[in-house]
Amino acid sequence: MTVATILGGAALPIGKIQTTADADLHNLEHELLLELVLQATEQAGVEKKDIGSIVMPLMREYTRQRYFAIFMANALGIECSGSMIEARGYGLAGGLALDLGLNEILLGRAKVALVMGANFESAIPAPVHASRSMRSTGDVDFHMPAGFIPISWYAMDAVRYMHEHGATRAEIAHVAVKNRYHASLNPLSQFRKPITVDDVLAARPIVDPLGLLEVPGRSDGVVCLVVASEDVAKATGRPYARVRGRGFQHDGSLQIDDCGGDMTAFISAQKASATAYAQAGIQAHDIDFAEVYAPCTIVEVLVSEALGFFPRGQGARGAVRGETTLGGRIPISTSGSLMSRGHPPNVTGLYNALEVFDQLTGRAGERQVKDAALGLCTSELGNYNAAMVHIMEGVQ
Amino acid sequence: MSLPVIPIDRRRVVAPRITRLTQPFWSALEEGEFRVTQCHACGKLSFPPRAFCRHCWSRDTGWLAVSGNGRLYSQTRIHALPELFAGEPAPLHVGIVDLEEGVRVALPIHGDAPGLDVPIELVVLRFRDGPLFAARPVTD
C-alpha cells in the first residue's frame, strides 16, 4: 500500500512582506514562492521531473494574480499529470491543501507533489480586512449585522470556559507567555521578544477578555512543502515524516449550533483526532508534541483538551504547570503558535505541518523536542466547527 | 405577546437581505415577534429560518413565535471594530443566548449582563431602516 510522506519544506519568516499598491518596488507572491520551491526540492532530493501535482491553498483576495497553481506550473516549467488544485477552506485551507496533496500520492496520481502557498494581507488595514473576514465566520444576514468578527467567537469560548470550569484570566494568559518563549527559539517567528503574564493581562483589549497578546497579529507568509510516496522518500536516503493518521470532522454548524450544546468541547476536534489516532494505531498519550491551529490562547487550551492531552477544564492549568512547554509532558505549539510565530491564515496549516516535519527530522534547532517520534498538527474553520488532524512519524 | 421595542436613531450597518422565505420573520420582528421555524415531522426548531427541516429534511415546517425568554450562554465586547462598523458605539456588545424553547441564537446584547446564565429577554432594535433582534438582561 502506498504511504505518503513529507520529504522537504522551506518557508520565509512570517511577518509583514506585502508591499502597498503604490510601492516603487514590490514583493510579489510568486517570486518569493518560486525560490522556496528550489530550496524545498533541493532539501528533499527530488527533481523537477518527479513532480506530478501542485496543490495550493487559495490565494487571498488581495493577490492580483489569479489561478495561481497554473501560474506557478508555468513559471516552474512543470507539466502536471496528476492534478493542479487550489483549495479553499479559510483557516482550514493549509490543512486541506496538505490533505489533498497527500491524496495525490495515496491515489497514485503523483509520486511527488508540491503543496505550497502564500498569504499576503498585512498591507490591508485590519478594519478593512475584518469587514471581509466576518463574512466567512457567520451568516451574513443573521450574524453579521451584530458585528461578529472571527475572533469574537473564540472570545465567547473564553467567557464560557471560565464560567464553567473556573479557569482564571492569568491561567489562560500563560499560554501566550509560553508560546512567545517558543517563538523566541524559532527563526520563522514574527514576534520573538519575551513577554510576561502581566504584559498579557495589561495589553490593549481586542475582544473581551482577550487582549492584543492573546490574538494573532497581521501576517504574511510563504511556504512550500514537498510530499512524496514513501518509496521516493526512502530512495533519497534522507529523513522524512511518514503520515500515519488523518481525521476530519465538521459538526454541521455555522459558528454555533442552533440546538445548543457545549460550545467549548470542540467536538469536531475530538472526533477528528479519534479517527486519526485509530488510523495510526495509537492513543493521545503516544503523541510527543502537537502543533495546533489556535489563533487565540483559549483556542489552544480547548483544543489541547479535545485532542485528549488534558481532561476537560484542565488545559489552562496544565499550561501553567509547564506541561505544554518545551521539555514538558506534551509540548504544544513549539513553533511559537499563531499568536507569536505568526498567522498568515491561508498558509498557517502549512507552517504547522512544516513545524511537525522539522521536529520529526531533527531540524528544529534550539526548540527541538528531544526524541520526537510522533507529532500531530491540526487546522480548523469557524469555531473549530471543522477540524483536520494529521499524525506523522519521523523516519531518519 | 410582544417583545420590547427599542428605537435606535441610526441605520443598520448591515441590512439583512429579505427573501420570500425570511420575509415573514422580518415582518413579524417589526411587529415585536421573534419566530423560528418548526418541523412538524420531527419537532425540531431551527434558526435562522429554513425552508425545510435541516435535521430530517421534511418540507412540513411552519413558524413558531418564541416567548423571548432565555439565558445568556456567553458574551463579549468587540473593541476592534471592522471598517463597516466605524462610527458605531464601541465596543460592540454581542453574545449567544439559549431561548427557553431550546434554540441558540447569536445577537447583539443591549445593556450590562452581570454574568452568564442570567435570564435574558429578546428585544427588537427598531432602526430607522428596519429591525434587528437583540437580547437584554431581565431586570425586575
Side-chain angles (χ1 to χ4, degrees):
Chain A
M1 195 183 108
T2 307
V3 174
T5 72
I6 299 180
L7 182 57
L12 290 185
I14 293 175
K16 294 191 184 302
I17 304 171
Q18 188 184 29
T19 39
T20 54
D22 59 355
D24 290 328
L25 274 180
H26 287 269
N27 292 327
L28 293 184
E29 297 88 334
H30 63 281
E31 292 184 2
L32 297 168
L33 183 53
L34 286 164
E35 168 58 26
L36 293 181
V37 172
L38 287 195
Q39 291 178 21
T41 50
E42 280 165 18
Q43 185 194 57
V46 298
E47 294 177 36
K48 174 183 160 185
K49 65 176 172 51
D50 301 327
I51 298 166
S53 295
I54 293 175
V55 184
M56 301 187 66
L58 196 66
M59 303 297 281
R60 277 290 192 209
E61 305 86 333
Y62 316 119
T63 291
R64 188 177 294 184
Q65 181 68 51
R66 287 169 66 90
Y67 218 166
F68 219 86
I70 312 300
F71 189 68
M72 290 295 293
N74 170 248
L76 288 164
I78 294 176
E79 298 170 22
C80 288
S81 56
S83 303
M84 289 191 285
I85 304 172
E86 288 173 68
R88 172 168 234 153
Y90 207 51
L92 198 67
L96 185 59
L98 173 64
D99 203 54
L100 293 169
L102 297 170
N103 280 352
E104 291 299 299
I105 308 302
L106 297 175
L107 290 167
R109 289 176 176 161
K111 291 188 180 325
V112 177
L114 298 177
V115 179
M116 59 185 175
N119 181 103
F120 274 23
E121 62 174 68
S122 72
I124 310 299
V128 175
H129 181 66
S131 293
R132 265 179 194 274
S133 56
M134 64 195 305
R135 289 163 53 197
S136 301
T137 54
D139 184 315
V140 296
D141 295 305
F142 286 88
H143 291 148
M144 192 167 158
F148 293 101
I149 60 175
I151 54 175
S152 64
W153 302 98
Y154 303 132
M156 292 190 287
D157 287 333
V159 174
R160 187 69 203 177
Y161 182 78
M162 291 192 293
H163 175 75
E164 282 187 21
H165 299 284
T168 66
R169 282 290 299 116
E171 286 169 346
I172 295 171
H174 194 89
V175 172
V177 177
K178 178 269 294 181
N179 283 341
R180 183 60 66 89
Y181 163 64
H182 289 173
S184 75
L185 306 175
N186 185 355
L188 296 181
S189 290
Q190 184 171 14
F191 305 104
R192 300 179 67 177
K193 188 179 142 206
I195 53 175
T196 66
V197 168
D198 287 343
D199 293 335
V200 179
L201 296 178
R204 174 162 65 88
I206 302 295
V207 280
D208 292 342
L210 307 175
L212 188 65
L213 298 175
E214 291 183 88
V215 303
R218 304 293 309 296
S219 312
D220 306 321
V222 191
V223 52
C224 176
L225 301 178
V226 177
V227 304
S229 71
E230 188 161 30
D231 289 345
V232 169
K234 271 185 185 154
T236 65
R238 302 182 186 200
Y240 59 90
R242 172 197 286 142
V243 180
R244 284 268 305 265
R246 178 265 192 196
F248 176 81
Q249 185 68 49
H250 181 236
D251 65 9
S253 64
L254 182 67
Q255 305 298 138
I256 58 167
D257 185 340
D258 64 359
C259 297
D262 184 352
M263 183 170 85
T264 64
F266 284 9
I267 297 287
S268 290
Q270 289 181 24
K271 291 182 175 173
S273 60
T275 303
Y277 293 146
Q279 195 175 91
I282 63 165
Q283 294 181 307
H285 63 75
D286 295 316
I287 296 288
D288 295 310
F289 66 98
E291 185 66 20
V292 298
Y293 187 106
C296 302
T297 47
I298 182 63
V299 182
E300 180 172 310
V301 170
L302 298 182
V303 75
S304 72
E305 295 175 9
L307 294 172
F309 301 137
F310 294 99
R312 283 286 282 145
Q314 296 302 312
R317 284 163 204 140
V320 173
R321 287 193 297 270
E323 293 184 44
T324 61
T325 309
L326 276 167
R329 178 175 64 85
I330 172 72
I332 296 181
S333 302
T334 55
S335 71
S337 83
L338 282 58
M339 289 153 271
S340 286
R341 180 205 57 200
H343 182 35
N346 287 18
V347 296
T348 287
L350 297 182
Y351 273 90
N352 284 7
L354 178 64
E355 175 67 11
V356 174
F357 171 74
D358 282 345
Q359 289 285 356
L360 291 175
T361 55
R363 290 183 168 102
E366 286 183 273
R367 64 185 195 290
Q368 181 67 47
V369 174
K370 196 164 169 288
D371 300 324
L374 276 175
L376 166 161
C377 57
T378 72
S379 52
E380 60 111 11
L381 58 74
N383 187 22
Y384 257 93
N385 304 120
M388 178 87 82
V389 176
H390 287 101
I391 294 171
M392 294 179 233
E393 174 184 23
V395 180
Q396 306 307 321
Chain B
M1 78 176 240
S2 191
L3 303 175
V5 176
I6 300 170
I8 298 196
D9 192 20
R10 300 194 303 276
R11 294 176 65 82
R12 295 170 296 185
V13 171
V14 177
R17 297 164 299 178
I18 293 173
T19 66
R20 281 195 183 83
L21 168 67
T22 62
Q23 191 166 40
F25 169 82
W26 293 109
S27 299
L29 188 67
E30 186 90 58
E31 303 303 315
E33 190 177 275
F34 187 92
R35 292 178 173 186
V36 299
T37 38
Q38 180 172 35
C39 176
H40 296 143
C42 75
K44 291 201 169 137
L45 306 176
S46 293
F47 187 80
R50 305 289 174 192
F52 59 88
C53 176
R54 63 179 288 266
H55 299 282
C56 73
W57 286 17
S58 168
R59 289 191 176 87
D60 185 12
T61 63
W63 294 102
L64 176 78
V66 301
S67 68
N69 299 320
R71 301 259 168 194
L72 185 63
Y73 183 76
S74 197
Q75 61 176 336
T76 184
R77 284 181 171 80
I78 301 170
H79 299 266
L81 267 56
E83 184 189 42
L84 278 171
F85 287 75
E88 287 290 295
L92 302 174
H93 190 186
V94 297
I96 298 169
V97 304
D98 286 335
L99 301 177
E100 64 182 2
E101 290 82 2
V103 180
R104 180 168 287 177
V105 183
L107 34 55
I109 305 292
H110 204 79
D112 288 325
L116 301 191
D117 293 338
V118 299
I120 58 88
E121 62 184 357
L122 293 178
V123 296
V124 179
L125 304 180
R126 185 171 283 156
F127 288 82
R128 287 208 303 260
D129 63 330
L132 289 179
F133 50 91
R136 70 180 179 193
V138 175
T139 49
D140 295 322

